[in-house]
Amino acid sequence: MNLEDLGERALIERIRRQIGEHGEGVVIGIGDDAAALSPSPGRLLLATTDMLVEGVDFQRSYASPRQIGWKALAVNLSDIAAMGGLPRYALVSLGLPETTPVEEVDELYEGLTAIAKAHRVHIVGGDTGVAPVLTLSITLIGEVEPGRLVRRSGARVGDVLAVTGSLGASAAGLAILNRGKGDFDEWKELIHAHLRPSPRVIEGAVLARLGVHAMIDLSDGLATDLDHLCRASGVGGRVCLSQLPIPEGVARAAAALGAEPWRLAVSGGEDFELLFALPSHHVPGWLVELERETGTKATAIGEVVDAGMRVQFVNAQGESVVFGRGFEHFSQRVGH
Ligand SMILES: [Mg+2]
């Protein structure tokens, strides 16, 4: 059966059953004109939204409905994490071709509800409609204690710049997928990193509690996102390419693709790691504490410098390296 046969009302009922019971703080969930939510006293609400469009942000040829559903929420979770907040409620808007099989919608919601459950997010509403290609837009509402809110704009000259996890796996995975030749099994970790990213939600909350000065999630690539952070803070940044945490698999994939590993790590997007600035006297202390609490390593990659120095990437010899920036909608297209 496809959506034409099922009809919208039955589809919504089906989705509602799949999402299940109302969660904590949900006074009214799916089924009325709007959701009614009970915010925690004294907290700020955080709201973010992100849209994935078939053919632009993903290809149906390699992304399963489950992965698309997972990733659509993951990218929003990453934005709430970057503010130091905890995600709470999601609204899901879904545009679908009429010929879409109903099972694909079920699978998409399986991916969505799997990551929602993992982060204790409740889906409280949304919209469905006909669209020429699969389009998935999620609005995510989170909360943060006012004193824990972390912005992009707080970096100070002399701070250390650090990132959680590792860089380049998602871009390498995407490049392998786009190359399209069948040896996907060999690269499954990289492909997994691209199709099913793990947002750093707990890590963001711990870093906020420790008191990092500024934070942003890496969605558009280190070069672009560091530029956002530095501009917002009115500072410059210097990153040492030899310090970037690039996994061995990324280096191998880069060799197979004829690319340089650091280029995947710097210009490739969608790692969904956190980039943050912290006082230098708390390195390595806060990084050790983060790993102890979350199991996630973070790596110092550079320092915050005077605004006049802009954003610089230097090699092991200290020479400045120039290259294209990461992904920007409406300007250049990197791989997607
Ligand atoms: Mg972001």
Side-chain angles (χ1 to χ4, degrees):
M1 190 171 33
N2 61 31
L3 295 183
E4 287 172 298
D5 308 319
L6 185 69
E8 189 181 358
R9 194 196 299 232
L11 174 66
I12 293 170
E13 191 43 47
R14 201 178 168 98
I15 290 170
R16 192 174 165 177
R17 275 202 309 270
Q18 204 172 345
I19 288 168
E21 284 304 296
H22 290 172
E24 196 188 325
V26 181
V27 180
I28 301 171
I30 294 173
D32 212 313
D33 295 300
L37 308 168
S38 173
S40 308
R43 302 266 170 100
L44 295 174
L45 286 182
L46 300 168
T48 185
T49 190
D50 206 279
M51 183 166 69
L52 297 185
V53 178
E54 177 183 348
V56 180
D57 299 293
F58 62 88
Q59 307 291 341
R60 291 298 305 275
S61 57
Y62 59 64
S64 70
R66 210 171 202 287
Q67 290 164 332
I68 295 163
W70 174 283
K71 187 163 177 176
L73 185 51
V75 302
N76 283 286
L77 289 165
S78 184
D79 279 325
I80 295 290
M83 306 299 290
L86 283 181
R88 298 291 311 269
Y89 310 112
L91 297 151
V92 178
S93 293
L94 191 54
L96 296 155
E98 286 161 300
T99 52
T100 308
V102 175
E103 294 72 35
E104 289 194 2
V105 184
D106 291 346
E107 284 171 36
L108 195 141
Y109 267 90
E110 278 167 29
L112 253 175
T113 50
I115 188 167
K117 271 211 183 94
H119 292 280
R120 303 182 63 192
V121 167
H122 304 293
I123 297 171
V124 294
D127 193 20
T128 54
V130 176
V133 293
L134 174 54
T135 308
L136 183 50
S137 172
I138 297 188
T139 298
L140 183 62
I141 295 166
E143 291 183 339
V144 66
E145 283 176 38
R148 297 268 169 92
L149 180 69
V150 186
R151 303 177 186 222
R152 297 178 176 185
S153 56
R156 300 170 204 170
V157 174
D159 280 353
V160 167
L161 294 166
V163 289
T164 58
S166 65
L167 302 176
S170 177
L174 177 63
I176 301 262
L177 287 168
N178 280 332
R179 194 173 62 154
K181 284 190 252 152
D183 52 353
F184 289 168
D185 231 34
E186 185 185 351
W187 307 109
K188 57 173 187 279
E189 273 176 42
L190 303 178
I191 290 170
H192 190 84
H194 182 70
L195 294 177
R196 204 173 177 281
S198 300
R200 301 299 196 181
V201 177
I202 309 295
E203 291 82 354
V206 170
L207 290 168
R209 195 200 70 221
L210 289 169
V212 299
H213 287 162
M215 187 149 62
I216 188 170
D217 71 312
L218 295 178
S219 52
D220 297 334
L222 179 62
T224 300
D225 291 320
L226 175 58
D227 191 63
H228 291 322
L229 184 142
C230 286
R231 280 172 195 266
S233 298
V235 298
R238 187 195 291 119
V239 166
C240 197
L241 294 177
S242 60
Q243 284 172 238
L244 296 180
I246 301 175
E248 194 267 332
V250 172
R252 266 192 310 118
L257 292 160
E260 289 153 301
W262 61 264
R263 210 175 274 274
L264 293 170
V266 170
S267 299
E270 302 205 333
D271 280 314
F272 298 110
E273 297 292 352
L274 296 172
L275 166 69
F276 53 98
L278 72 165
S280 58
H281 61 273
H282 286 299
V283 179
W286 285 2
L287 307 186
V288 172
E289 179 64 22
L290 176 75
E291 187 176 358
R292 200 183 58 77
E293 280 191 51
T294 67
T296 300
K297 275 194 163 57
T299 308
I301 60 167
E303 59 186 328
V304 176
V305 295
D306 200 74
M309 301 178 75
R310 318 268 305 259
V311 168
Q312 290 181 10
F313 289 82
V314 299
N315 61 21
Q317 287 74 48
E319 299 156 347
S320 187
V321 178
V322 179
F323 52 88
R325 302 210 316 183
F327 184 75
E328 276 187 65
H329 283 279
F330 307 115
S331 56
Q332 63 190 104
R333 290 264 180 265
V334 181
H336 40 166

